[in-house]
């Protein structure tokens, strides 16, 4: 039997997300989708087919039952993809190491689906398509906060002229969560960032780690610094 070493699930998810994006009409790299209006139509159809439309999802149609899972591998743009995958790369490896490969894979998918479903339930009449791994990655951040609160995190803050500063993970992640919560309170169901999915995913991730691993699972220090930039 071959023993899996390293954060293989994290790397596999990152690879799958990049592969799906590159062959999709959104990347602009697949000539089979054409250009101009044809490409825009293909992109719209792609998002509708594989993303979540809250009004359709809650109608109970069997055609959309898998969209909470498929939406986790769909990205809206290169910036959306790169930002999400950077966060997963930075915070996913240590979290997967602590949880184990199989448990982490189930945790990632479960948090992601529930975060998207939470957003859909709050915007039940919305016809806007929801895609992206942000809810799942927010769950990883929540679990990381409980498991590694004192890990050193290097972050770039726009209001500090993007200076790279190192803080304990609990400061950075709580600050990030507060920003998402404040943004979710002022957001509507129109196009934009689904901040509510971030809030739901983060809370689910933290609660899961707290219930499953307890206080004894916390790591007080880690030899390698963790780096984070942007937001999912």
């Amino acid at each position: 039997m071959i023993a899996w070493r390293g954060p293989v699930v994290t790397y596999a998810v990152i690879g799958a997300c990049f592969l799906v994006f590159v062959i999709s009409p959104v990347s602009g790299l697949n000539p089979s989708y054409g250009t101009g209006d044809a490409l825009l139509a293909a992109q719209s159809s792609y998002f509708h087919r594989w993303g979540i439309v809250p009004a359709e999802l809650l109608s109970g149609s069997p055609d959309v039952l898998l969209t909470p899972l498929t939406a986790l591998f769909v990205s809206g743009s290169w910036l959306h993809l790169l930002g999400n995958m950077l966060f997963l790369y930075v915070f996913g490896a240590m979290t997967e190491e602590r949880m184990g490969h199989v448990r982490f894979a189930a945790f990632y998918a479960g948090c992601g689906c529930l975060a998207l479903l939470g957003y859909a339930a709050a915007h039940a009449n919305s016809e806007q398509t929801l895609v992206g791994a942000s809810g799942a990655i927010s769950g990883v951040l929540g679990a990381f906060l409980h498991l590694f609160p004192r890990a050193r995190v290097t972050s770039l803050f726009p209001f500090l002229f993007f200076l790279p500063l190192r803080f304990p993970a609990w400061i950075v992640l709580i600050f990030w969560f507060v920003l998402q919560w404040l943004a979710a309170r002022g957001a509507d169901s129109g196009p934009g960032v689904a901040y509510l999915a971030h809030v739901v995913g983060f809370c689910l991730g933290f609660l899961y780690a707290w219930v499953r691993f307890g206080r004894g699972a916390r790591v007080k220090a880690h030899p390698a610094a963790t780096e984070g930039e942007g937001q999912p």
Side-chain angles (χ1 to χ4, degrees):
M1 180 179 296
I2 299 177
W4 291 358
R5 297 184 180 276
V8 292
V9 175
T10 297
Y11 293 157
V13 171
I14 292 174
C17 287
F18 269 99
L19 177 61
V20 169
F21 184 78
V22 167
I23 65 177
S24 77
V26 187
S27 69
L29 300 177
N30 192 334
S32 65
Y33 292 106
T35 59
D37 291 340
L39 179 59
L40 292 177
Q43 291 174 351
S44 178
S45 177
Y46 172 75
F47 288 136
H48 190 272
R49 174 64 183 84
W50 301 110
I52 287 181
V53 179
E56 296 181 5
L57 178 66
L58 300 179
S59 69
S61 172
D63 296 335
V64 299
L65 293 181
L66 288 179
T67 55
L69 180 60
T70 59
L72 297 180
F73 297 91
V74 177
S75 300
S77 66
W78 278 104
L79 183 61
H80 186 204
L81 172 69
L82 293 174
N84 277 344
M85 294 304 102
L86 174 61
F87 259 71
L88 180 57
Y89 174 78
V90 169
F91 293 98
M94 289 172 62
T95 307
E96 179 181 348
E97 178 183 0
R98 182 63 186 87
M99 290 186 178
H101 306 305
V102 176
R103 184 178 290 116
F104 178 78
F107 163 80
Y108 180 88
C111 272
C113 290
L114 290 174
L116 294 177
L117 288 173
Y119 179 91
H123 302 90
N125 297 321
S126 175
E127 297 287 345
Q128 295 293 332
T129 305
L130 179 63
V131 299
S134 299
I137 297 171
S138 297
V140 174
L141 299 185
F144 190 98
L145 174 61
H146 177 76
L147 296 172
F148 308 101
R150 298 186 182 180
R152 304 297 292 182
V153 178
T154 302
S155 299
L156 304 180
F157 293 93
F159 57 86
L160 293 177
F161 305 101
F162 293 96
L163 293 176
L165 301 174
R166 297 182 66 208
F167 297 98
W170 70 268
I171 294 178
V172 175
L173 294 177
I174 290 178
F175 177 75
W176 177 87
F177 174 78
V178 170
L179 291 180
Q180 305 307 301
W181 180 72
L182 292 175
R185 292 186 62 186
D188 54 29
S189 60
V193 180
Y195 294 106
L196 180 60
H198 298 177
V199 172
V200 173
F202 188 93
C203 292
L204 289 173
F206 183 86
L207 288 174
Y208 172 82
W210 179 60
V211 171
R212 174 61 181 81
F213 297 99
R215 291 182 57 86
R218 293 190 173 189
V219 176
K220 295 183 178 181
H222 196 277
T226 302
E227 299 181 1
E229 179 179 5
Q231 68 178 34

